[in-house]
Amino acid sequence: AYAAFGKEAFLNAIRRSQDYLLNAQLPGGYWQGELFIDCTLVADTICFRHWDGKIDEDWQRKATNHLLSSQLPDGGWNIYHGGPSEANATIKSYLALKLAGFPLTDPRMVKARSVAMNLGGVPKMNTFSKLYLALLGLFPWKYVPTIPCEVILIGKWCPLNFHEMSNWTRSMVVPLSIINHFKPTRKLRNPVAIDELYPEDFQERELQLPRDPGVFSWRNLFLTTDKVLKLAEKMAQWGIHPFRRHALRKNEDWMLEHFEGADGLGAIWPSMLNSLIAMKAMGYEDDHPQVLRAERELRKLENETETEIRIEPCHSPVWDTAIASVALCASGVSPDHSKMKEAAKYLVSKEIRFRGDWKYKNDTGVEPSGWAFEHENKWSPDVDDSAMVLLALRGMQSGGKKFHQACFKRGLDWLLTFQCKGGG
């Protein structure tokens, strides 16, 4: 950089960047940037609101504006910046626009439909997308892979037990297993169909997930297991499923427990929305405190302007604060700077002193510590956020040195217990 731009230009760029970051710090001592993501969260929320029967026309107008602004020139939607049109994003957005009243003859709908069909149509959608279609009566449940409630009952004796799953997976599986049990398809106020998104010579049997050509493969094993689980589901409908009631209650209790100390279930949008659907499927009334709480947490992820709605998958204050602090320290900002002290205070305040779900896999007896990505997610502090916070605290040892050192040591001791046998 020195050679290309000269020392003075280089130093000026650093100073401008420092000023920008310091001025971008929010009250409370943290930084939080917006997490931009593809259109599917907005499209799914439109679909959910129609399933729920609560349609705010002004909100929907802004949401569809966002979808249309992110439509690609070919008529489809992508799942990452600069990427090509993708089947799930395109079909979900098309359906959301159709639910919102856009006619099939609208040029944007015509182009979207053409792209969707070129990508294979509804049969090429992934499992989660098909489940959301099933909720709207637009896809048969019998072709949606089964997520049995009883997974939560499987103990450590089984290599594939509940706590061998990642935090993300657990927070998805629990509400989805409840949804899978109730299969709460609802009749839409203004019914729509998406028959035009199936190939002309399409047969329903083609909705089945294809098997691998060989006899033995992980895919074939899971497909065979799914057949067994579907038989068990039929038995449950006939009242022959001894553990189902207990498993349902266990999943419900786990979900409600994990609402506490977190920005919604798993503190991330898909789990949060699924938990809301699960509660409504179980019969929770719209004014139930947990339903209202879930709706409130989801609304916090919305960024609304005069013209559009954008939705973030989660908030990232701990990560953003840690990485901003590391950058500022590395570029020469003193740890005694007032804003650096505020950042250090914030990071120390976000240390999780609760023995969360990690205790089932980590039985070392280490003192609880660690940091999560979001504002609140006490159940699942994670390794990468904790490592970044420790790097930040190490660079800010000057102000309140003794306090920071105690927090740093506790966090480091905790982090080291998660090293894998292979060294990583």
Side-chain angles (χ1 to χ4, degrees):
Y2 277 10
F5 303 107
K7 181 178 179 180
E8 192 59 34
F10 180 77
L11 294 176
N12 282 336
I14 290 178
R15 281 192 289 269
R16 286 196 301 271
S17 298
Q18 289 172 338
D19 290 343
Y20 171 81
L21 269 180
L22 291 170
N23 289 327
Q25 189 182 52
L26 297 168
Y30 66 92
W31 284 270
Q32 181 178 299
E34 182 177 345
L35 284 173
F36 289 92
I37 196 170
D38 60 70
C39 63
T40 55
L41 271 60
V42 172
D44 284 341
T45 303
I46 292 173
C47 293
F48 164 74
R49 290 191 172 209
H50 280 263
W51 176 85
D52 198 31
K54 298 177 182 176
I55 303 160
D56 180 326
E57 295 295 342
D58 185 55
W59 184 97
Q60 184 169 264
R61 175 184 58 81
K62 293 180 180 181
T64 56
N65 283 347
H66 174 72
L67 291 182
L68 294 172
S69 70
S70 57
Q71 188 174 21
L72 300 175
D74 70 356
W77 283 264
N78 58 22
I79 56 173
Y80 60 90
H81 181 70
S85 293
E86 192 269 344
N88 296 282
T90 299
I91 295 173
K92 285 182 175 185
S93 298
Y94 176 90
L95 172 60
L97 292 173
K98 191 170 185 179
L99 287 168
F102 281 70
L104 291 178
T105 54
D106 186 298
R108 295 162 294 189
M109 296 290 280
V110 173
K111 292 175 71 175
R113 188 162 60 249
S114 175
V115 171
M117 292 302 292
N118 287 336
L119 292 170
V122 172
K124 296 299 181 182
M125 296 182 80
N126 63 32
T127 297
F128 291 122
S129 299
K130 289 173 181 175
L131 183 142
Y132 288 133
L133 292 183
L135 290 171
L136 297 170
L138 301 174
F139 192 87
W141 282 100
K142 65 181 178 179
Y143 296 123
V144 176
T146 302
I147 304 174
C149 295
E150 290 74 17
V151 168
I152 200 170
L153 302 178
I154 301 175
K156 286 186 176 182
W157 53 267
C158 178
L160 297 175
N161 65 72
F162 185 66
H163 290 289
E164 289 293 334
M165 300 176 184
S166 67
N167 164 59
W168 161 270
T169 306
R170 289 195 303 273
S171 64
M172 289 288 284
V173 163
V174 167
L176 285 177
S177 70
I178 295 171
I179 294 169
N180 178 82
H181 171 78
F182 287 101
K183 297 179 175 54
T185 298
R186 291 186 176 180
K187 187 175 181 180
L188 298 174
R189 185 186 304 171
N190 299 308
V192 301
I194 50 173
D195 297 344
E196 68 274 18
L197 298 185
Y198 286 86
E200 287 185 10
D201 58 349
F202 170 77
Q203 301 294 322
E204 187 178 300
R205 64 177 180 275
E206 295 174 36
L207 295 177
Q208 298 182 55
L209 294 172
R211 297 177 66 88
D212 284 339
V215 178
F216 299 106
S217 72
W218 281 110
R219 182 184 183 87
N220 289 347
L221 174 62
F222 284 119
L223 290 175
T224 301
T225 302
D226 186 60
K227 286 186 177 181
V228 175
L229 292 173
K230 281 187 164 42
L231 176 61
E233 289 295 308
K234 287 185 178 180
M235 294 173 65
Q237 294 172 10
W238 301 333
I240 312 172
H241 212 316
F243 302 111
R244 178 50 57 93
R245 184 175 297 180
H246 175 58
L248 271 172
R249 176 56 61 86
K250 191 85 171 176
N251 279 281
E252 181 182 2
D253 290 345
W254 188 94
M255 188 171 69
L256 294 176
E257 181 184 34
H258 282 69
F259 285 162
E260 303 300 325
D263 301 329
L265 185 63
I268 193 161
W269 187 91
S271 301
M272 293 161 67
L273 180 66
N274 290 338
S275 69
L276 181 56
I277 296 171
M279 285 190 287
K280 289 176 177 286
M282 287 186 289
Y284 282 59
E285 298 293 339
D286 288 347
D287 59 353
H288 190 285
Q290 293 290 12
V291 171
L292 296 174
R293 178 182 185 173
E295 291 175 339
R296 184 169 62 249
E297 294 297 341
L298 280 167
R299 281 195 298 273
K300 289 179 183 178
L301 297 176
E302 295 182 3
N303 293 298
E304 184 172 356
T305 69
E306 289 296 321
T307 59
E308 70 169 351
I309 297 276
R310 299 185 306 277
I311 299 178
E312 298 180 67
C314 63
H315 289 147
S316 55
V318 174
W319 175 263
D320 291 351
T321 302
I323 201 168
S325 299
V326 168
L328 288 167
C329 283
S331 67
V333 176
S334 170
D336 291 320
H337 191 291
S338 61
K339 295 209 170 186
M340 298 303 287
K341 287 183 177 180
E342 289 178 30
K345 184 178 179 181
Y346 172 80
L347 290 174
V348 169
S349 75
K350 288 301 174 182
E351 182 189 14
I352 299 172
R353 304 301 308 281
F354 172 75
R355 198 173 294 276
D357 286 346
W358 53 269
K359 67 185 177 185
Y360 294 101
K361 290 285 291 177
N362 184 339
D363 57 0
T364 59
V366 66
E367 187 174 0
S369 185
W371 286 262
F373 192 69
E374 306 88 358
H375 284 287
E376 300 293 339
N377 190 8
K378 74 174 186 178
W379 297 94
S380 302
D382 54 69
V383 169
D384 55 344
D385 290 292
S386 298
M388 187 56 70
V389 169
L390 292 175
L391 287 171
L393 291 179
R394 185 180 66 173
M396 298 190 292
Q397 287 294 313
S398 197
K401 186 172 182 179
K402 186 175 181 181
F403 184 41
H404 295 168
Q405 281 183 337
C407 180
F408 179 89
K409 183 180 184 306
R410 191 165 51 241
L412 182 60
D413 289 345
W414 178 85
L415 186 64
L416 289 172
T417 64
F418 287 88
Q419 188 176 29
C420 300
K421 293 178 181 178

